[in-house]
Amino acid sequence: MKKLLNVLFVTQTDAKVYLETENVCVRKEDELLIRVPLLNLEQIVLFNYYGATPQLLGECVKRKISVSFLSEYGKYYGTFHGESSGNVLLRREQYRIADDNRGLEYAKAFIFGKLHNQKWVIERGIRDYSLRIDTPLLKKQSSFISEQLKQVLSVDSGETLRAAEGNAAHYYFSAFDELILQNKEFFTFKTRNRRPPTDAVNAMLSFAYTLLASECRHALEVVGLDSYVGFLHADRPGRASLALDLMEELRPHVADRFVLSLINRSEVAESDFEVQSSGAVYLSAQSRKKFLSSWQNRKKEEIVHPFLKEKIEWGLVPYCQALLLARTIRGDLDGYPPFLWK
Amino acid sequence: MIYEEEDYLLLSGIQHYAFCPRQWALIHIEDQWNENYLTTGGRLLHSKAHNGESVEKRGNLIIFRGLKVRSSELGISGECDIVEFHKSHDGVSLHGYSDLWSPYPVEYKRGKSKLDDCDRLQLCAQAVCLEEMLCVKIENGALFYGEPRRREVVAFTLELRTTLKDTVTTMHQLFMQKYTPKAVKGKYCKSCSIKELCLPNLGKADKTSVKRYMEAHLE
């Protein structure tokens, strides 16, 4: 499989990012914070307010390194890709599928993946912590999701599909609080909220989803798909719908379980969060850095891809799925195989 | 058949096609490419052979590096690493030079001589281009392999020319249909520069039913 390259995150808000020979340099006032060879990078993600120099952007285009811009709180502004890669035939077929009823088959696969993986996040919780959690409750939620999962393959409209997804999400998130085992007074989860997140768990979920979305978007662009034309999410100006589609099946394990493990291993504490006067809760600048470095470490862990049966790093999962999606669109497979993880 | 210029395929693709039709389609139809250490090595070897076009005269020998060639009959165009012109009585005149000269294409390859014909076909295609451009018959050329560092003479037999013609015709057909052949996994996948993009396992019909894969995950 392809080599997992690094992502450079710049979390220092007032840092300047520029090119020096074949390296990207990050400087804060007179101090050079880091110098990284572009050779080892596939993405640069900036949380600063100076952005990157045009010279650096130019070199990144040449090397197919994407540069994403986010606000210091992680609100996504956009990504600089340069020229779209390769294959116009692939994109044309993608648009055709999105326009006719074949899109539903892909949408079903994404949701199938999402529900399956939600179920197994719960099942893993039961397996790992049976002494601490309400097993009968979680078993019940898991079997509710199973029922929805069985229906997914036979639905014949987008509405029934979304209904199954909505039901499963309800069961899943109502079980989610039960999977939180540390510092429960502070890390409580009632319901998913995001505009803005009003508790620490939602703040972390939102941040993890932002990172995952940017990785999905990057993976789709790398394989030559148009990340804005989705099969499940309808077109909306400025929305990377296909990235959101692809992200559905990856949310439970890549983002949700990651957040749970940070809490349960006590890697985050109340002091890592800032509460704004509006009630919005965010990770502090210092803890975002910690969050990102755990995220990067997690990406290096190896797994065997359930469909390809190849050993890969977690970080390559979005790329593998994007590639499988592209290959399915080009007719190599009888359907899109979602990432089904137990 | 005479091909239009806009329908020309890349000469370098013949070797890709002969190695694996799917590899060729992924690179030339789908515009997928991965640089790995093999291709980087090849590129470095080639940059020594030619860096843009250049001509050098050494007594009875003129050496063209990076010569652009095409054949409207095959519908291909590309570049020759090296074309040697040897002074010879049965050669052809060359603009800007006195005497008569016989062309002799030489292609640089990393690694060893291969059992299959892919390198020979590419060289033969260069010869056919030169024949068309110079109105001359070319009997032989040479492949220079990085290890061992020596030349292997290739005779442009009728058989090789027929294989070339058939190969290129099929390539044109596939290109017109924009069709990427299915993966056929083999030993050669190991040395493929784009196996990560191809996913050769997808070719195994019995293993790749997505429907079955999903149903197996229902319980």
Side-chain angles (χ1 to χ4, degrees):
Chain A
M1 197 31 78
K2 169 184 137 86
K3 209 174 140 204
L4 179 65
L5 295 172
N6 292 322
V7 182
L8 172 68
F9 292 100
V10 177
T11 53
Q12 298 263 4
T13 49
D14 51 353
K16 293 188 170 152
V17 185
Y18 59 97
L19 179 75
E20 205 177 84
T21 56
E22 304 207 326
N23 299 292
V24 45
C25 295
V26 182
R27 181 178 288 277
K28 190 174 174 179
E29 283 153 17
D30 286 337
E31 191 194 352
L32 181 67
L33 300 174
I34 192 170
R35 181 203 306 269
V36 192
L38 285 173
L39 195 66
N40 298 330
L41 291 180
E42 71 175 26
Q43 248 188 307
I44 298 176
V45 181
L46 302 172
F47 294 85
N48 65 347
Y49 40 74
Y50 289 122
T53 61
Q55 219 189 354
L56 175 65
L57 292 178
E59 193 60 30
C60 288
V61 169
K62 247 196 260 169
R63 295 165 180 265
K64 293 189 187 293
I65 299 169
S66 73
V67 184
S68 298
F69 299 89
L70 288 86
S71 80
E72 56 177 311
Y73 293 109
K75 181 180 159 29
Y76 180 77
Y77 292 145
T79 301
F80 191 76
H81 289 291
E83 219 181 329
S84 37
S85 68
N87 187 2
V88 65
L89 301 170
L90 173 66
R91 285 197 291 275
R92 175 82 79 176
E93 184 65 8
Q94 176 191 351
Y95 302 150
R96 280 192 210 103
I97 293 171
D99 282 342
D100 62 35
N101 53 11
R102 284 179 295 162
L104 181 64
E105 289 307 310
Y106 287 84
K108 278 156 74 171
F110 296 133
I111 295 302
F112 186 91
K114 180 182 189 178
L115 269 49
H116 174 276
N117 292 335
Q118 285 179 334
K119 172 188 156 83
W120 281 96
V121 165
I122 296 178
E123 289 289 336
R124 283 186 77 122
I126 297 170
R127 189 191 73 186
D128 294 347
Y129 304 113
S130 59
L131 289 175
R132 291 201 53 192
I133 57 176
D134 185 348
T135 303
L137 171 78
L138 289 186
K139 273 282 172 207
K140 210 167 71 192
Q141 305 293 29
S142 161
S143 68
F144 280 145
I145 297 176
S146 283
E147 279 165 34
Q148 302 299 320
L149 183 65
K150 278 176 196 142
Q151 283 170 29
V152 167
L153 288 180
S154 56
V155 300
D156 54 7
S157 76
E159 282 128 60
T160 37
L161 182 61
R162 272 183 286 274
E165 180 195 11
N167 292 339
H170 173 75
Y171 302 133
Y172 176 68
F173 280 120
S174 65
F176 203 73
D177 188 53
E178 197 59 34
L179 298 172
I180 295 171
L181 302 170
Q182 292 287 353
N183 197 1
K184 281 199 84 132
E185 305 76 48
F186 181 66
F187 292 112
T188 46
F189 180 86
K190 286 192 189 67
T191 171
R192 175 82 191 114
N193 59 47
R194 57 208 172 101
R195 283 185 191 158
T198 55
D199 60 70
V201 180
N202 273 298
M204 284 192 285
L205 286 176
S206 286
F207 195 56
Y209 293 156
T210 304
L211 295 173
L212 179 58
S214 120
E215 285 173 12
C216 288
R217 194 182 297 112
H218 178 72
L220 291 166
E221 297 287 340
V222 165
V223 301
L225 286 162
D226 185 335
S227 62
Y228 283 79
V229 176
F231 303 135
L232 174 67
H233 291 80
D235 294 354
R236 191 193 285 172
R239 179 165 80 177
S241 294
L242 191 64
L244 298 180
D245 286 1
L246 180 60
M247 193 175 145
E248 291 296 358
E249 66 194 63
L250 304 178
R251 282 174 197 263
H253 286 286
V254 179
D256 303 347
R257 256 183 72 81
F258 173 73
V259 169
L260 284 174
S261 75
L262 285 184
I263 300 171
N264 289 344
R265 289 185 203 159
S266 301
E267 287 176 32
V268 281
E270 194 170 341
S271 57
D272 288 318
F273 297 86
E274 288 168 357
V275 183
Q276 297 185 339
S277 48
S278 65
V281 179
Y282 292 105
L283 280 153
S284 70
Q286 203 49 41
S287 53
R288 271 202 304 278
K289 204 169 152 185
K290 213 164 63 176
F291 191 97
L292 289 170
S293 95
S294 306
W295 179 266
Q296 287 302 92
N297 286 335
R298 160 96 162 142
K299 277 166 69 175
K300 289 185 198 130
E301 287 172 22
E302 284 193 325
I303 54 160
V304 174
H305 190 283
F307 183 76
L308 291 170
K309 309 274 185 243
E310 259 182 69
K311 200 187 252 186
I312 58 165
E313 290 109 332
W314 261 116
L316 279 181
V317 171
Y319 170 78
C320 283
Q321 295 308 119
L323 190 58
L324 285 168
L325 187 57
R327 297 308 337 154
T328 310
I329 290 172
R330 287 291 289 163
D332 282 348
L333 288 161
D334 61 342
Y336 165 70
F339 181 79
L340 304 175
W341 192 246
K342 285 188 182 180
Chain B
M1 166 149 183
I2 300 292
Y3 291 93
E4 295 297 323
E5 236 177 61
E6 61 170 37
D7 296 327
Y8 284 5
L9 297 174
L10 272 182
L11 196 154
S12 54
I14 293 170
Q15 190 217 0
H16 296 141
Y17 184 87
F19 176 75
C20 167
R22 182 172 165 90
Q23 188 200 56
W24 169 77
L26 289 171
I27 296 171
H28 295 262
I29 299 180
E30 302 202 16
D31 203 10
Q32 305 282 308
W33 183 249
N34 248 7
E35 188 98 335
N36 66 13
Y37 78 98
L38 290 168
T39 59
T40 309
R43 197 160 43 78
L44 290 176
L45 188 76
H46 273 83
S47 70
K48 272 185 216 150
H50 58 80
N51 228 329
E53 205 174 291
S54 77
V55 191
E56 187 188 335
K57 188 162 185 297
R58 292 186 194 165
N60 290 337
L61 185 67
I62 309 173
I63 301 169
F64 282 78
R65 292 189 166 85
L67 186 68
K68 304 266 192 299
V69 295
R70 48 101 190 122
S71 156
S72 58
E73 206 198 312
L74 290 177
I76 53 171
S77 66
E79 204 172 281
C80 299
D81 279 344
I82 285 181
V83 183
E84 297 176 348
F85 285 84
H86 296 260
K87 199 190 259 183
S88 151
H89 293 299
D90 51 4
V92 291
S93 62
L94 268 184
H95 180 74
Y97 295 91
S98 50
D99 303 313
L100 296 178
W101 304 87
S102 289
Y104 188 83
V106 182
E107 174 70 16
Y108 278 63
K109 292 288 169 203
R110 69 174 297 287
K112 296 179 187 128
S113 175
K114 302 178 189 79
L115 287 172
D116 59 57
D117 267 341
C118 55
D119 293 344
R120 280 180 283 274
L121 280 173
Q122 188 187 357
L123 188 69
C124 184
Q126 294 176 4
V128 172
C129 290
L130 289 165
E131 288 180 338
E132 199 180 302
M133 293 166 74
L134 297 162
C135 303
V136 68
K137 183 91 180 146
I138 304 175
E139 306 287 352
N140 296 303
L143 292 164
F144 179 88
Y145 285 101
E147 55 177 284
R149 301 180 58 82
R150 74 159 55 118
R151 284 185 177 192
E152 183 184 301
V153 175
V154 176
F156 303 128
T157 59
L158 182 62
E159 194 194 351
L160 189 61
R161 287 166 188 271
T162 311
T163 313
L164 172 67
K165 180 87 194 168
D166 294 347
T167 305
V168 176
T169 307
T170 319
M171 286 165 64
H172 275 288
Q173 283 163 358
L174 290 176
F175 196 85
M176 291 256 291
Q177 299 158 6
K178 309 290 185 217
Y179 176 72
T180 305
K182 298 271 178 288
V184 182
K185 202 177 176 184
K187 260 190 194 156
Y188 60 101
C189 292
K190 273 197 187 126
S191 57
C192 174
S193 56
I194 56 166
K195 57 173 176 289
E196 295 85 1
L197 294 165
C198 163
L199 305 175
N201 277 332
L202 300 192
K204 289 189 196 157
D206 54 326
K207 277 204 181 161
T208 53
S209 167
V210 171
K211 202 164 171 275
R212 243 170 295 153
Y213 162 72
M214 284 165 72
E215 279 164 3
H217 280 81
L218 266 177
E219 286 315 311

